[in-house]
Amino acid sequence: MDARIIRFKFGLLLLAGLNGSVMLAGNTVVRHTFENPVVARGQDPWVIRWQTSYYFCQSRPDGIWVNQAARLEDIGVDHWKCVWRPPADSAWSKQIWAPELHFLQGKWFIYFAADDGDNANHRMYVLKGTAADPQAPFKFLGKIAAPTDCWAIDGTVLEMLGGNLYFIWAGWPGKNDGIQNLYIAPMSNPWTISGERVCISQPDQKWEQRDFPRINEGPETLWHDGKLFIIYSASAFWDDNYCLGQLTWTGGDVLNPKSWVKQPEPVFARTAAVFGPGHCSFVKSPDGKEDWIIYHAHLAQGTRERDVRIQRFDWNPDGTPKFGRPVAPGVPMPAPSGE
């Protein structure tokens, strides 16, 4: 290891690595620290760990980009590559939102919402990777929709332990804005919904109804010891009270709304120093021993601009996630274990 030997006045020798970690005499490792935000501007962060790297998928007006980082706290460091650019004047050319990068059945896929410039025409679309490298170009496969083909955003894929796939997304119950529910439908393959949508969550709690419209969105799946959760965003993203809610799978058919139970209160919410935390994704630390949440929050109270933050979370004795409270910007935190 390329290191410096530092002697403190009390006589303890330290080996300080270039990555900021330190090793005490006796091989006790003290990890380096980082501070939020880890990305100065960003929203709807989707991060996946693949082999020895983290891949951060984001949309820009000119297309979908994927960044690569060896360390989770470095997902904002510029190693970006554009993997797909939309054609001009198509139904999926504008307002590209919340892309997610998934590795399914041995291939890479990206799911994203887009429209023709009119929000009422937002639908979900899917891209397929052309190589094993998730930063290689992707090709457009088409729209992914249930037979009702209603407004849809924030699509994600649930892969059950037996390999069956389900699509989960946020949508309107009808043709007009005002309510966003969470829906699930079966998939016959990673680019095809094979049945009608089923509503598994409606914004029926007061904390899901801040500002207009009433909103459930950004569903993300989270597995732990055979237990399955859907962590979703609630209320309007531009409101300081934007937060995360939780659905718990109780067993049985995931297409049965009765198989899901909603927590009566948010599981991750604003503090006096953090505003509008929401729309998350989850990864493991490099050694697989820690769970980390990636989310966006407002730059300051009362603004719509957002940045991207990360923090470790734990588990309650009953196996449910214990997210705690969002850590304030500028507070040092230990980096993920195994770096």
Side-chain angles (χ1 to χ4, degrees), residues 31-40 45-50 52-57 67-80 280-288 290-295 308-313 333-339:
R31 282 184 274 168
H32 70 276
T33 62
F34 73 95
E35 300 173 1
N36 276 325
V38 294
V39 183
W46 174 262
V47 178
I48 185 172
R49 182 166 175 81
W50 175 251
T52 60
S53 295
Y54 293 97
Y55 292 92
F56 179 24
C57 188
N67 200 17
Q68 182 271 341
R71 306 192 311 180
L72 182 59
E73 63 270 33
D74 293 336
I75 56 173
V77 177
D78 187 9
H79 295 100
W80 291 97
C280 61
S281 56
F282 306 101
V283 294
K284 292 280 189 180
S285 58
D287 60 8
E290 296 177 349
D291 292 282
W292 286 72
I293 181 173
I294 305 99
Y295 63 98
V308 176
R309 309 178 187 193
I310 64 174
Q311 67 185 67
R312 181 185 175 185
F313 68 95
M333 291 182 284
S337 61
E339 289 188 350

Side-chain angles (χ1 to χ4, degrees), residues 14 34 39-40 54 61 69 71 131 142-143 147 174-175 178 180 188 192 195 236 245 251 270 280 298 303:
L14 293 175
F34 73 95
V39 183
Y54 293 97
R71 306 192 311 180
K143 181 167 65 176
K175 301 296 183 182
Q180 286 178 213
S188 56
T192 307
R270 63 167 290 179
C280 61
H298 296 176
T303 180

Side-chain angles (χ1 to χ4, degrees), residues 225-297:
D225 287 345
K227 299 180 184 296
L228 171 63
F229 309 93
I230 293 176
I231 309 300
Y232 65 94
S233 302
S235 287
F237 85 82
W238 54 86
D239 190 276
D240 289 337
N241 293 292
Y242 194 61
C243 59
L244 294 179
Q246 176 181 305
L247 301 178
T248 302
W249 178 52
T250 60
D253 186 1
V254 295
L255 295 173
N256 184 347
K258 294 182 179 179
S259 296
W260 299 95
V261 174
K262 180 183 292 187
Q263 286 293 104
E265 299 293 336
V267 294
F268 197 63
R270 63 167 290 179
T271 67
V274 177
F275 307 96
H279 204 118
C280 61
S281 56
F282 306 101
V283 294
K284 292 280 189 180
S285 58
D287 60 8
K289 295 180 180 180
E290 296 177 349
D291 292 282
W292 286 72
I293 181 173
I294 305 99
Y295 63 98
H296 72 222

Side-chain angles (χ1 to χ4, degrees), residues 116-140:
D116 58 0
D118 182 351
N119 177 51
N121 295 326
H122 254 115
R123 297 295 188 273
M124 288 300 307
Y125 298 91
V126 58
L127 310 173
K128 185 178 181 181
T130 59
D133 180 4
Q135 288 190 295
F138 278 66
K139 66 178 181 179
F140 182 77

Side-chain angles (χ1 to χ4, degrees), residues 19 41 48 70 93 134 151 165 190 196 203 208 257 262 269 311 325 330:
N19 66 354
R41 295 289 188 277
I48 185 172
S93 295
W151 187 91
L165 301 179
E196 191 48 270
E208 300 173 304
K262 180 183 292 187
Q311 67 185 67
R325 293 159 60 85

